[in-house]
Amino acid sequence: MFLKVKALSFALSGTALLVLSACGGGSDGDIATTPETPTTPTPASVVVTGTVVVDQAIRNAVVCMDLNASSTCDANEPASAGTGSDGAYSITYDSAKVAAAQAASASLIVAMVPGAAADATTTLDAADPTVANTTKSYILKQVAGKGGQINPLTTLVATGMAKGMSESVARANVAVQLAINESKIDNYQDDPAFDKALVQDNARMMAKVTAAALEAGATLEVGDQTAAFSAAAGDLATLRYLDAANYYVRTLDYQDKPAGSDPLLVTDARRGKSSGFGTASTSLYTSAYLSSAGWVYCNADMAIPVTIGTPSRSTSCNPQRS
């Protein structure tokens, strides 16, 4: 009997110990059983940086994340302060308010704004900060989901992607279309400074041409430079008309082009009459150009290679590049 009681007593003592432990009778029990207060992770701030450039760095430019693809900076969209003389921008946004997928599908955009040079909203190019860099407002873009430099060439790539091209395909076509190195699309500031007295055929010049097209209200287009092209009546290049006996017409007529890397060719067709002489089918070539090989006379046998898209390039009569 004594042994049984002791055994029962031991069992009860063990139970008492378990109860005390569960009731928080010691410090170890407090740590193990006190529920933790749930915490909400602090939203991460995301910073996107880069520069705005046309010829050189752009001042007073406000960059925003175009979340709704409206090509305007709306009040609820993350935006930078106006850029300084170095063209640098910085956008900070809350990742809890702008989801990663939303940020990845949105382009950074920036408006070029005309006005007086002294106005804080007028965009100025470091190449000539005494006047606005444009007479008409237009938008520059970066590829969706990317920061870095925003310039006319990135705008052209973004245009190609908006029409269904992948970024790599759009970049490759822009490089051929403008005859530039593809790496220059993201930064051409190591090209020589623009000089009106000595215009150089480089990426900086092509960026200025693209910006001029935007300022003029042209619709940019990235052409598929390897696509086939069917012969067609071309664009009217020149028309001078006095009467049925005195007129001059020049058109650029497109030739057939098979799919591949060969350039698209156009025929420079000219016809007209002077004092009744000539016919509607007469080719009138009145130009000659001085090239490094001497004078070159243009004639009907000279097809002109052109690139597809807007802006585009052509080389007529060998030395004349447009």
Side-chain angles (χ1 to χ4, degrees):
M1 181 65 72
F2 174 77
L3 291 175
K4 291 182 179 179
V5 170
K6 289 296 289 181
L8 180 59
S9 175
F10 180 79
L12 290 172
S13 298
T15 304
L17 286 172
L18 292 173
V19 172
L20 285 172
S21 177
C23 290
S27 59
D28 290 343
D30 291 338
I31 294 173
T33 60
T34 302
E36 295 184 3
T37 303
T39 58
T40 302
T42 303
S45 293
V46 181
V47 181
V48 184
T49 62
T51 56
V52 181
V53 170
V54 175
D55 181 352
Q56 297 180 31
I58 298 296
R59 184 170 189 162
N60 297 335
V62 175
V63 180
C64 77
M65 184 177 290
D66 189 16
L67 298 176
N68 60 3
S70 65
S71 293
T72 58
C73 290
D74 299 320
N76 63 335
E77 293 175 329
S80 73
T83 55
S85 58
D86 60 355
Y89 68 85
S90 178
I91 296 176
T92 302
Y93 67 90
D94 188 338
S95 60
K97 296 180 179 179
V98 180
Q102 192 177 16
S105 64
S107 287
L108 298 185
I109 66 171
V110 53
M112 296 296 99
V113 182
D119 292 347
T121 58
T122 299
T123 49
L124 308 173
D125 197 307
D128 185 4
T130 63
V131 295
N133 76 314
T134 184
T135 59
K136 181 181 178 182
S137 182
Y138 62 86
I139 298 294
L140 295 180
K141 295 183 178 183
Q142 177 53 282
V143 170
K146 291 181 65 173
Q149 191 172 109
I150 305 172
N151 63 52
L153 302 182
T154 63
T155 305
L156 191 54
V157 172
T159 299
M161 293 178 66
K163 295 296 184 179
M165 292 182 176
S166 68
E167 182 177 358
S168 61
V169 169
R171 289 173 64 88
N173 279 296
V174 166
V176 175
Q177 185 170 321
L178 300 182
I180 61 175
N181 189 302
E182 188 175 323
S183 65
K184 293 283 188 174
I185 292 171
D186 302 304
N187 189 355
Y188 45 82
Q189 290 303 287
D190 57 350
D191 281 350
F194 178 74
D195 183 354
K196 291 181 180 179
L198 184 62
V199 176
Q200 300 187 62
D201 187 2
N202 55 30
R204 187 191 297 273
M205 181 61 190
M206 292 301 98
K208 287 177 65 67
V209 168
T210 305
L214 287 165
E215 184 176 356
T219 300
L220 298 186
E221 177 188 0
V222 179
D224 182 353
Q225 307 303 319
T226 64
F229 201 94
S230 298
D235 300 321
L236 177 64
T238 307
L239 172 62
R240 294 196 294 268
Y241 185 86
L242 180 62
D243 53 42
N246 297 275
Y247 65 89
Y248 173 75
V249 180
R250 180 185 176 217
T251 60
L252 300 175
D253 300 326
Y254 295 93
Q255 299 183 12
D256 275 324
K257 175 190 177 305
S261 59
D262 290 338
L264 176 64
L265 299 177
V266 301
T267 300
D268 187 350
R270 310 181 187 195
R271 53 195 179 276
K273 291 184 178 181
S274 179
S275 300
F277 292 96
T279 68
S281 61
T282 301
S283 295
L284 303 174
Y285 287 84
T286 59
S287 299
Y289 297 92
L290 182 60
S291 72
S292 58
W295 286 97
V296 178
Y297 176 67
C298 295
N299 58 61
D301 296 328
M302 287 187 173
I304 303 171
V306 300
T307 59
I308 306 169
T310 304
S312 63
R313 296 174 57 98
S314 65
T315 304
S316 62
C317 203
N318 294 326
Q320 187 187 27
R321 285 176 292 179
S322 303

